[in-house]
């Protein structure tokens, strides 16, 4: 169904004479992604880039960001967190180039959360960047990022870690598992002093 919809969009855009547009590139990539479903081949990124820019030209950053994010979601759904992290990082780079702050916030947030799960050495810097990019915006994953960063900062930056946990708890439901986890973590580490 999705493949048929993307084919229809591609036909319309092509009929309008926009054969070099980002919309057509999105539609063509969507056709292939829908065809592959949740299990694209290992060389999907290269295959799609070659198919969309056969002469080796760079893809429009908006298309490259969307494409990398789609591949990242599929990798995460398969449980391949390392591949998902690489694709989210690529998406963040592309969104940054295109100036799309919403796409950038999404990609950096997902990169940070996955990097934390994988104990990646860049987890802290990614969490810092994600919290800076989203700023004061209400983002579903913001309390998780604040909690993860607090844990990475402890014990070197206790005051900042406490402030991050308090900010996360302010945004979480009192009865949520994340709130209970953060309260327990804070209580344990406060008593270790």
């Amino acid at each position: 169904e999705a493949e048929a919809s993307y084919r229809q969009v591609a036909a319309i855009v092509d009929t309008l004479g926009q054969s070099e547009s980002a919309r057509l590139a999105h539609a063509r990539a969507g056709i292939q992604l829908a065809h592959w479903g949740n299990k694209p081949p290992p060389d999907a990124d290269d295959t799609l880039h070659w198919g969309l820019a056969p002469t080796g030209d760079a893809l429009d950053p908006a298309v490259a960001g969307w494409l990398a994010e789609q591949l990242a979601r599929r990798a995460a759904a398969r449980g391949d967190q390392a591949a998902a992290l690489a694709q989210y990082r690529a998406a963040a780079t592309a969104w940054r180039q295109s100036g799309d702050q919403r796409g950038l916030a999404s990609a950096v947030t997902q990169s940070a959360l996955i990097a934390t799960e994988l104990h990646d050495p860049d987890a802290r810097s990614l969490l810092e960047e994600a919290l800076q990019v989203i700023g004061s915006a209400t983002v579903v994953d913001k309390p998780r990022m604040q909690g993860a960063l607090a844990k990475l900062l402890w014990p070197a930056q206790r005051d900042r870690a406490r402030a991050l946990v308090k900010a996360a708890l302010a945004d979480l439901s009192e009865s949520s598992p994340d709130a209970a986890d953060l309260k327990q973590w804070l209580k344990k580490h406060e008593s270790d002093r």
Side-chain angles (χ1 to χ4, degrees), residues 40-164:
D43 65 344
D45 192 36
D46 291 336
T47 300
L48 288 167
H49 275 81
W50 183 85
L52 297 173
T55 59
D57 294 340
L59 288 180
D60 179 295
V63 175
W66 178 83
L67 182 58
E69 200 152 349
Q70 297 305 310
L71 290 171
R73 287 184 184 140
R74 284 164 172 78
R78 293 191 312 271
D80 188 349
Q81 298 297 72
L85 178 57
Q87 288 295 337
Y88 276 124
R89 283 179 167 161
T93 299
W95 289 129
R96 196 174 283 110
Q97 289 173 351
S98 75
D100 185 328
Q101 289 301 306
R102 189 176 195 178
L104 176 61
S106 172
V108 171
T109 297
Q110 293 307 314
S111 294
L113 292 171
I114 292 172
T116 301
E117 286 176 31
L118 295 175
H119 304 289
D120 187 282
D122 294 333
R124 179 179 170 183
S125 63
L126 287 168
L127 286 165
E128 296 272 14
E129 180 183 4
L131 289 169
Q132 184 178 14
V133 168
I134 61 173
S136 62
T138 302
V139 176
V140 173
D141 291 321
K142 187 175 182 178
R144 283 180 57 208
M145 289 188 297
Q146 290 168 320
L149 182 56
K151 291 173 184 178
L152 290 174
L153 293 175
W154 194 271
Q157 296 182 31
R158 290 174 191 254
D159 291 341
R160 182 157 181 239
R162 281 188 206 99
L164 284 164

